[in-house]
Each structure stands twice: as C-alpha cells, then as structure tokens.
Amino acid sequence: MRTRHFPEGFLWGCATAAHQVEGGNHNCDWWEWEQRGGIRTGDSADPACDHYNRFREDFRLLQQLHNNAHRLSIEWSRVEPAEGEFDQAQVEHYRDVLTELRQRGMVAMVTLHHFTSPLWFTHRGGWTAAGSPEAWLSFVRHVAQELGELVGMWCTLNEPSIYAYQGWITGDFPPGRRGDVAGMYRVLANMHDAHEKAYRELKRITPQVPVGLTHNKWLLFPAKPWNPVDRVLAAVSQSGLDRWPAGSPRMRRVVEATSDYVGLNHYSGSLVSVTRHSQPGWLPQSDFGWAIQPEWMRHCLEELAELGKPVYVTESGIATRDDRRRSQFLKDVVGQVWQAIEHGVDVRGYLHWTSMDNFEWAQGYSMQFGLIGVDLETQERTVKPSGELFGQIAEANAVPVD
Ligand code: IFM
C-alpha cells in the first residue's frame, strides 16, 4: 500500500475539554445553564465520561493508539472556585493528570479557557465585564506557576469567535443572549486583550513553552455566487467571524506579536444569502447537519500559511454514529493535511476531535465525535475501528493512500 509520510516529530493526538469529559463540574456557568434546561436533549455534563476519575485508563488507551500528544483544558472553576481563592487539591489533580501524560510520552497542550467560566466570574458579567481579562489572568498565572513545567504547549483560549457568537447571537450557549451584537464584540475585545496579556505572562513564567490559541475556521460562501449581494455578505460575515486570528490588520498584528503558533479548528462551512445561512445541499452531511468536505481543510491551512507561524490542527472531526464514515473522513482529512504540508505549509500536528464520545454542549450526548465509544451507563470504553485506524496512522506517521 502506498503511504504519505509526515515530518519527523509530527504530533498525533486527540483534543478534549474539561467540562465535556470530566463529570462533576458543578461550579461553572455551563452547569447552571444545564440545570436551567439549556440543553435540548435535557442532558447534563455529569457524569459525562467520568474522565476526572478515569484519566489514567483513558490515557493508557490513547497511548496504545500511539498518540504522542493530547489537548486538554484545565477547568478554571475547579482551580479558582471563588475569586482569588485557589483550591490546592484541584491543582494537585491536574498535576497528576499532566504527570500521567508525561509518563506516557504524550505532549500536553493545555487550554486555559474552553467555553466554561466560574460562577463568581459570570455572575458579575463574565467576558463582557470590564476587568474580565485581569480576572482570568490571575488563574492563568497560578496555573503557569504551579504546573508550567509539565506543559508542552499553551493554548490560551478556545474558539473565541464561536464562544461569543453562540453565547450572544444564537443564544445556544450561556448566557443565552440573542442578537446582542454589541455584547459579542465586547466579549471578543476582552478575550483579545486577555490573550495578549496571557501571552506575555506565560512567556515570562514559562519562556520555553510555545503559546497560541485556537480559531474555529467556519467557511462562508455566497449562496448564489453570481449575486453580488450574497458575495459581499459572505465576505463581510467571513471577516467578522475571522476577526480572530487574522481577519483584520489589527488581529493580524496580534497573531504576529503574541502567538508562537496558530491552532486551527476546522469542521465545515455554510452558504450565506440575505435571507438565511444554509448547508451546501450537494455535499454529504454529518449528524450535526454540517457539510463534510475534507478538501476545505487544505484550503484553511494554506490560508493560514501566510501568517508565517507553525500551524497545528487543534481540532478536526465528524459527528456520526457510522464509524466507517469516520474512518473514511479521517483518511481523507489527514490526506489533505499531508497535501498542505507538501505545498509548503508548516503543519506540526493533528489533534482529532475527539478521543471519546462526550458531552457535546447544546446537543448533549446526541452527537458522537469519538474514536472511542463510552457506555453512559457503565462507563465502559470501546475503541472504535476509526480509533484503531488513527493509531495506525500515528504509529506509521503516515496516512495510507486509498
Ligand atoms: O465539541 C466542540 C468543542 O468543544 C469545540 N470545537 C467544536 C467541537 C464540536 O462541536
């Protein structure tokens, strides 16, 4: 079989977020949102995958699948349950988690904000409030001082544009605001400021550790390419969404000055017209209803190349209960990453979303992105054939050509 080899030292792993896998995370805005009926399915993130208690078993499985990296988030609301009060037992928990990864030969990419915030922070305005960057920064500083020596890469923030859009425009995420454009831009401005401040602080405390953030690149196309209104609308919406990391000259400078790498989360895209956003009906769709087009991955990577920074695919995956589809998707999308590298893009790693089927935010457990299945009653883990395939790709550092 012909294969396409990746550069030596390429990182292969999975991406996760604390609230989606850990279970028992009750001191954050998402938990409160779940209790208020914010999740369509009525699900809640407890016990999720009970990863808080089972992380050793989970990392053992990922090591068996030849993962040499892992992206996880440290839960702010556990570590700082009240403003300025740090819970040493929780710090020790994450020390155990990071030590376990190190012992299993996996580089830890640590996200410092992945959608959840402590209640004390959200009750006084969350990311819209003045002083929110500084409030988060003291958590960042504490984690860096306590755990920095175990961290391979920092990822300050996960998908600021999606976070702000879902929380302030669609209302699918807490605080559930709809159409609050001013709120969305306040959140983005504060997160932008927070990232810059965190970059400087992290470089001061752990100068050797690369710092970046992840951007969700959701592609927008004009519904009718021959219609100038649709074309303008698609372009304007795309640059709005891409304010982070490089949609405007200002943002570009942020990436140039305060990012050692760019993290790309890419899943899909939509068609834009005056009346609505829709999915390109001619493409296959995931269970989420998202169009699946693996070639878009290469397009996104090539676009980021001009920033001149190393790029990591920090998330890529498909929501499907048909695992054969996931395997095909994996081969196709990893093949596109390989093509981008062949065309000169400095891609250094691929982190699949996600290791285990988990709590998919507003969709609860209805969307399955995992390489490993989890029985929600017994918590039994089962590696899916796509997981085995990912393990083979990681071990060979190469993807088979179909
Ligand atoms: O589950 C999410 C993740 O938390 C952030 N990026 C997109 C994933 C799939 O929706």
Side-chain angles (χ1 to χ4, degrees), residues 355-381:
S355 49
M356 300 173 280
D357 293 334
N358 63 36
F359 178 74
E360 177 51 37
W361 306 115
Q363 273 68 28
Y365 299 97
S366 62
M367 293 299 141
Q368 299 188 339
F369 281 91
L371 298 174
I372 298 171
V374 176
D375 182 319
L376 291 173
E377 297 298 318
T378 64
Q379 290 292 340
E380 193 187 341
R381 275 67 167 143

Short mmCIF file of all heavy atoms in Angstrom, two decimals, residues 355-381:
data_model
loop_
_atom_site.label_atom_id
_atom_site.label_comp_id
_atom_site.label_asym_id
_atom_site.label_seq_id
_atom_site.Cartn_x
_atom_site.Cartn_y
_atom_site.Cartn_z
N SER A 355 -11.25 12.20 21.51
CA SER A 355 -10.92 10.83 21.92
C SER A 355 -12.18 10.01 22.17
O SER A 355 -12.39 8.98 21.54
CB SER A 355 -10.05 10.86 23.18
OG SER A 355 -10.62 11.71 24.15
N MET A 356 -13.04 10.49 23.08
CA MET A 356 -14.22 9.69 23.47
C MET A 356 -15.50 10.43 23.13
O MET A 356 -15.54 11.65 23.23
CB MET A 356 -14.23 9.50 25.00
CG MET A 356 -13.04 8.80 25.54
SD MET A 356 -13.10 8.84 27.35
CE MET A 356 -12.53 10.48 27.72
N ASP A 357 -16.56 9.70 22.81
CA ASP A 357 -17.87 10.34 22.70
C ASP A 357 -18.11 11.07 24.00
O ASP A 357 -17.91 10.50 25.09
CB ASP A 357 -18.98 9.27 22.50
CG ASP A 357 -18.85 8.57 21.15
OD1 ASP A 357 -18.30 9.19 20.21
OD2 ASP A 357 -19.31 7.42 21.06
N ASN A 358 -18.55 12.33 23.91
CA ASN A 358 -18.67 13.09 25.16
C ASN A 358 -19.82 14.08 25.10
O ASN A 358 -20.66 14.03 24.19
CB ASN A 358 -17.31 13.74 25.49
CG ASN A 358 -16.87 14.76 24.45
OD1 ASN A 358 -17.68 15.49 23.88
ND2 ASN A 358 -15.56 14.82 24.20
N PHE A 359 -19.85 14.98 26.06
CA PHE A 359 -20.94 15.95 26.19
C PHE A 359 -20.75 17.07 25.18
O PHE A 359 -19.87 17.91 25.34
CB PHE A 359 -20.93 16.51 27.63
CG PHE A 359 -21.97 17.55 27.87
CD1 PHE A 359 -23.31 17.21 27.99
CD2 PHE A 359 -21.62 18.89 27.97
CE1 PHE A 359 -24.28 18.19 28.21
CE2 PHE A 359 -22.57 19.88 28.20
CZ PHE A 359 -23.91 19.51 28.31
N GLU A 360 -21.57 17.05 24.13
CA GLU A 360 -21.41 18.00 23.03
C GLU A 360 -22.28 19.24 23.28
O GLU A 360 -23.24 19.51 22.57
CB GLU A 360 -21.71 17.31 21.70
CG GLU A 360 -21.65 18.19 20.45
CD GLU A 360 -20.38 19.02 20.30
OE1 GLU A 360 -19.30 18.52 20.65
OE2 GLU A 360 -20.49 20.17 19.83
N TRP A 361 -21.99 19.97 24.33
CA TRP A 361 -22.60 21.27 24.65
C TRP A 361 -24.12 21.25 24.42
O TRP A 361 -24.80 20.40 24.96
CB TRP A 361 -21.89 22.38 23.85
CG TRP A 361 -20.40 22.37 24.05
CD1 TRP A 361 -19.45 22.11 23.10
CD2 TRP A 361 -19.66 22.62 25.28
NE1 TRP A 361 -18.18 22.20 23.65
CE2 TRP A 361 -18.29 22.51 24.98
CE3 TRP A 361 -20.02 22.94 26.59
CZ2 TRP A 361 -17.28 22.69 25.92
CZ3 TRP A 361 -19.01 23.12 27.55
CH2 TRP A 361 -17.67 22.99 27.20
N ALA A 362 -24.62 22.18 23.59
CA ALA A 362 -26.08 22.32 23.42
C ALA A 362 -26.75 21.04 22.91
O ALA A 362 -27.95 20.86 23.05
CB ALA A 362 -26.37 23.48 22.48
N GLN A 363 -25.97 20.14 22.31
CA GLN A 363 -26.54 18.89 21.77
C GLN A 363 -26.44 17.73 22.75
O GLN A 363 -26.81 16.60 22.41
CB GLN A 363 -25.83 18.49 20.46
CG GLN A 363 -26.42 19.12 19.21
CD GLN A 363 -26.21 20.61 19.15
OE1 GLN A 363 -25.24 21.11 19.71
NE2 GLN A 363 -27.11 21.32 18.51
N GLY A 364 -25.93 17.96 23.93
CA GLY A 364 -25.79 16.88 24.92
C GLY A 364 -25.00 15.70 24.36
O GLY A 364 -23.97 15.89 23.70
N TYR A 365 -25.51 14.49 24.60
CA TYR A 365 -24.76 13.30 24.15
C TYR A 365 -25.22 12.81 22.77
O TYR A 365 -24.85 11.73 22.34
CB TYR A 365 -24.90 12.18 25.18
CG TYR A 365 -24.33 12.58 26.52
CD1 TYR A 365 -25.16 13.06 27.53
CD2 TYR A 365 -22.96 12.55 26.74
CE1 TYR A 365 -24.63 13.49 28.74
CE2 TYR A 365 -22.42 12.98 27.95
CZ TYR A 365 -23.27 13.45 28.94
OH TYR A 365 -22.74 13.88 30.13
N SER A 366 -26.06 13.62 22.10
CA SER A 366 -26.63 13.13 20.85
C SER A 366 -25.62 13.11 19.70
O SER A 366 -25.81 12.39 18.73
CB SER A 366 -27.85 13.97 20.45
OG SER A 366 -27.46 15.31 20.23
N MET A 367 -24.56 13.88 19.81
CA MET A 367 -23.55 13.92 18.74
C MET A 367 -22.32 13.14 19.16
O MET A 367 -21.74 13.42 20.21
CB MET A 367 -23.14 15.38 18.44
CG MET A 367 -24.25 16.20 17.85
SD MET A 367 -24.80 15.52 16.28
CE MET A 367 -26.55 15.78 16.44
N GLN A 368 -21.93 12.18 18.33
CA GLN A 368 -20.79 11.33 18.70
C GLN A 368 -19.60 11.61 17.78
O GLN A 368 -19.62 11.27 16.61
CB GLN A 368 -21.21 9.86 18.63
CG GLN A 368 -22.34 9.58 19.60
CD GLN A 368 -22.67 8.09 19.72
OE1 GLN A 368 -22.34 7.30 18.84
NE2 GLN A 368 -23.32 7.74 20.81
N PHE A 369 -18.59 12.22 18.37
CA PHE A 369 -17.37 12.57 17.62
C PHE A 369 -16.20 11.63 17.95
O PHE A 369 -15.12 11.80 17.41
CB PHE A 369 -16.92 13.98 18.01
CG PHE A 369 -17.65 15.13 17.37
CD1 PHE A 369 -18.77 15.69 17.98
CD2 PHE A 369 -17.22 15.68 16.16
CE1 PHE A 369 -19.43 16.79 17.41
CE2 PHE A 369 -17.87 16.77 15.59
CZ PHE A 369 -18.97 17.32 16.21
N GLY A 370 -16.39 10.68 18.88
CA GLY A 370 -15.25 9.99 19.46
C GLY A 370 -14.64 8.86 18.63
O GLY A 370 -15.32 8.19 17.86
N LEU A 371 -13.33 8.65 18.87
CA LEU A 371 -12.64 7.47 18.33
C LEU A 371 -12.87 6.29 19.27
O LEU A 371 -12.59 5.15 18.93
CB LEU A 371 -11.14 7.74 18.23
CG LEU A 371 -10.70 8.87 17.29
CD1 LEU A 371 -9.19 9.11 17.42
CD2 LEU A 371 -11.07 8.57 15.85
N ILE A 372 -13.33 6.62 20.48
CA ILE A 372 -13.60 5.60 21.49
C ILE A 372 -15.05 5.79 21.95
O ILE A 372 -15.46 6.92 22.24
CB ILE A 372 -12.64 5.77 22.70
CG1 ILE A 372 -11.19 5.60 22.25
CG2 ILE A 372 -12.98 4.80 23.83
CD1 ILE A 372 -10.15 5.96 23.30
N GLY A 373 -15.81 4.70 21.97
CA GLY A 373 -17.19 4.78 22.44
C GLY A 373 -17.22 4.69 23.96
O GLY A 373 -16.36 4.06 24.57
N VAL A 374 -18.22 5.35 24.57
CA VAL A 374 -18.37 5.28 26.02
C VAL A 374 -19.81 4.86 26.32
O VAL A 374 -20.76 5.50 25.84
CB VAL A 374 -18.10 6.66 26.66
CG1 VAL A 374 -18.35 6.61 28.17
CG2 VAL A 374 -16.68 7.12 26.38
N ASP A 375 -19.96 3.79 27.07
CA ASP A 375 -21.29 3.37 27.51
C ASP A 375 -21.68 4.28 28.68
O ASP A 375 -21.03 4.24 29.74
CB ASP A 375 -21.24 1.90 27.95
CG ASP A 375 -22.61 1.39 28.37
OD1 ASP A 375 -23.34 2.14 29.05
OD2 ASP A 375 -22.92 0.24 28.05
N LEU A 376 -22.71 5.09 28.49
CA LEU A 376 -23.02 6.10 29.51
C LEU A 376 -23.54 5.49 30.80
O LEU A 376 -23.50 6.11 31.85
CB LEU A 376 -24.04 7.11 28.96
CG LEU A 376 -23.49 8.04 27.86
CD1 LEU A 376 -24.60 8.89 27.25
CD2 LEU A 376 -22.37 8.93 28.38
N GLU A 377 -24.03 4.22 30.73
CA GLU A 377 -24.49 3.56 31.96
C GLU A 377 -23.32 3.00 32.75
O GLU A 377 -23.21 3.19 33.96
CB GLU A 377 -25.42 2.36 31.61
CG GLU A 377 -26.71 2.76 30.90
CD GLU A 377 -27.57 3.66 31.77
OE1 GLU A 377 -27.68 3.37 32.98
OE2 GLU A 377 -28.10 4.66 31.24
N THR A 378 -22.42 2.29 32.04
CA THR A 378 -21.35 1.56 32.74
C THR A 378 -20.00 2.28 32.66
O THR A 378 -19.07 1.88 33.35
CB THR A 378 -21.16 0.17 32.10
OG1 THR A 378 -20.73 0.38 30.74
CG2 THR A 378 -22.46 -0.63 32.09
N GLN A 379 -19.91 3.27 31.82
CA GLN A 379 -18.65 3.98 31.57
C GLN A 379 -17.60 3.08 30.87
O GLN A 379 -16.42 3.42 30.83
CB GLN A 379 -18.05 4.58 32.85
CG GLN A 379 -18.84 5.75 33.39
CD GLN A 379 -18.77 6.99 32.48
OE1 GLN A 379 -17.87 7.11 31.66
NE2 GLN A 379 -19.74 7.88 32.60
N GLU A 380 -18.06 1.96 30.33
CA GLU A 380 -17.11 1.09 29.62
C GLU A 380 -16.65 1.77 28.33
O GLU A 380 -17.45 2.36 27.60
CB GLU A 380 -17.79 -0.24 29.28
CG GLU A 380 -16.81 -1.29 28.83
CD GLU A 380 -17.53 -2.54 28.33
OE1 GLU A 380 -18.71 -2.72 28.67
OE2 GLU A 380 -16.89 -3.31 27.60
N ARG A 381 -15.34 1.70 28.07
CA ARG A 381 -14.78 2.28 26.86
C ARG A 381 -14.59 1.20 25.80
O ARG A 381 -14.12 0.10 26.13
CB ARG A 381 -13.38 2.86 27.13
CG ARG A 381 -13.32 4.27 27.67
CD ARG A 381 -13.85 4.48 29.01
NE ARG A 381 -13.47 5.79 29.54
CZ ARG A 381 -14.23 6.55 30.30
NH1 ARG A 381 -15.44 6.14 30.66
NH2 ARG A 381 -13.81 7.70 30.75
#
